[in-house]
């Protein structure tokens, strides 16, 4: 499972202000993090918290 990444306006602005080399490194790290699955305990905790908001 890969997480969908959505950037808030402030984050988009900050990314545009970075030098291209640093931007590439940061975006690669974000993509790598999005590919990692959460451990089952944290995943269940997160889903339970989302469910409580509805």
């Amino acid at each position: 499972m890969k997480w969908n990444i959505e950037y808030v306006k402030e984050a988009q602005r900050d990314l545009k202000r970075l030098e291209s080399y640093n931007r590439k490194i940061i975006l690669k790290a974000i993509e790598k993090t999005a590919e990692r699955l959460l451990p089952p305990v944290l995943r269940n905790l997160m889903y339970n918290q989302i469910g409580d908001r509805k």
Side-chain angles (χ1 to χ4, degrees):
M1 178 180 160
K2 183 176 178 180
W3 295 97
N4 292 327
I5 302 170
E6 297 178 10
Y7 296 96
V8 294
K9 292 178 186 177
E10 294 84 3
Q12 290 175 349
R13 183 192 68 223
D14 292 343
L15 282 170
K16 287 180 184 177
R17 291 181 180 175
L18 292 172
E19 295 177 4
S20 62
Y21 177 76
N22 292 331
R23 184 182 317 119
K24 188 184 294 187
I25 291 172
I26 291 171
L27 290 174
K28 189 173 182 179
I30 292 171
E31 285 289 326
K32 190 174 184 180
T33 304
E35 292 175 1
R36 289 189 213 140
L37 291 175
L38 291 173
V41 173
L42 292 177
R43 197 175 325 143
N44 291 337
L45 177 64
M46 188 181 90
Y47 289 137
N48 288 338
Q49 288 177 351
I50 292 172
D52 293 340
R53 293 181 186 171
K54 293 182 180 179

